[in-house]
Amino acid sequence: MERRHSLSSEPTTTKEKKKSSSELVSVKLIEWEDYEQEVARLWSLSSALKEAREKKEALEGKLHSLNQVEAESLDRLNVLEEIRERVDARKKMMESLSDQLQGAGEKAKKEEERLGAEVRSLLVAGTALSVANKKMEESNRVLAGESGFLRLRNLQKMLRLRQQFMISQVSLLYSVKMSPGPSQDQELESLPSTSKSGNSAGSKLVNPGSLTILGLHLTMLPFTKMSFFSNKKEVQRSATALGYVAHAVSLVSSYLKVPIRYPVRLGGSHSYIIDPAPSIEPISSSVESSKSTTQSTVKPVEFPLFLDGQDTTRAAYAVFLLNKDLEQLLNYIGVKSLGPRHVLANLKELVRTVQSAEFLES
């Protein structure tokens, strides 16, 4: 019965299959004798199909897992690619940092060498400074002792006393005194013809005609108003007085050890004063003097301290330079000049200041 039932059921199933796959499989007629074999074959085919389906499902599962693994692998490959790119970027950055560090190391090495040289120089300078400090301390101890600063001050005082004595001899040799009566001679504080109008409006008239050197008055009137009818004796007296003043200035400068700016060539009443670097030589009728001014090298020029056959402008300029020497000596001892043309007054002030007690303390 079971066999029949199965047989009955199987044709129905086969019929259904045939019906369902009628479009695909053509109907096959089987003999009854071959039915069992066909059923066995179909059964084996169904079991094989089932196994194939199971294998297919297993393969699909494996394929799905492989797909997942492949997807994960792709993701990991992408991540690894990104990581590799980052690593490459970091590598490049590290290489640049390494180059920078190498450059900084070289700079640091050079700076270290420079600082080492400076430190060595500072050490040498410090050693020299310490030696100088020791010498200075020793010098201070020597100066603080009895044979130091006090001895120097005593020597300076002795030198000042000697200078006072020598210049007092000069004052006795060329004494500048006040004349007993008023004089009509006058000195001007500035050079003649300083104003364009011709008069000496900017000059202050004083009366140093009362001052004499060895009894001789020094007046500037012959220098400014020299003519054919001028008093020759008055001109000679002024030239002699200027010679005395020039000699006195030369002696005082040698005793004070002060080289005067405008040296003097002594000749009594025919003395000269030298301008070592004249800017513009005064007007002269000599052709040789006009040629000398055109030369590239400026030579010293001598100006006469007298009027005998000389240009009045050159003589007046010589007196101006002589008074500049007096002004230099007065400034050396800390005294201001009395005026640009107060020759005898400046000489008297110079001698008086050197012989005073303040000169010993200076």
Side-chain angles (χ1 to χ4, degrees), residues 22 48 50 72 120 127 132 137 141 145 151 184 186 195 212 236 244 257 268 274 291 299 307 327 355 358:
S22 60
K50 185 177 180 180
E72 291 178 358
R120 288 191 295 270
T127 304
E137 291 176 357
R141 286 195 298 270
R151 183 171 177 271
Q184 296 179 355
Q186 292 179 336
S195 61
T212 60
Q236 185 62 34
Y244 293 160
K257 302 296 181 183
I274 302 170
K291 290 182 180 180
K299 296 181 180 180
L307 279 176
E327 183 178 353
Q355 291 179 343
E358 288 82 2

Side-chain angles (χ1 to χ4, degrees), residues 144-159:
E146 294 181 355
S147 61
F149 183 73
L150 294 177
R151 183 171 177 271
L152 181 63
R153 289 294 297 174
N154 291 332
L155 289 175
Q156 185 179 5
K157 189 174 182 180
M158 291 174 61
L159 177 62

Side-chain angles (χ1 to χ4, degrees), residues 174 213 216 218 236-250 264-272 305-306 322:
Y174 297 110
I213 180 168
L216 296 177
L218 177 60
Q236 185 62 34
R237 285 196 297 268
S238 296
T240 304
L242 287 174
Y244 293 160
V245 174
H247 192 200
V249 168
S250 178
V264 176
R265 183 166 68 85
L266 299 175
S269 61
H270 283 68
S271 299
Y272 290 85
L305 289 168
F306 57 94
L322 180 63

Side-chain angles (χ1 to χ4, degrees), residues 226-265:
M226 182 67 181
S227 65
F228 180 77
F229 300 100
S230 298
N231 190 350
K232 305 297 182 181
K233 292 183 179 180
E234 186 177 359
V235 172
Q236 185 62 34
R237 285 196 297 268
S238 296
T240 304
L242 287 174
Y244 293 160
V245 174
H247 192 200
V249 168
S250 178
L251 291 175
V252 172
S253 66
S254 64
Y255 296 153
L256 293 178
K257 302 296 181 183
V258 178
I260 53 179
R261 188 174 294 109
Y262 305 103
V264 176
R265 183 166 68 85

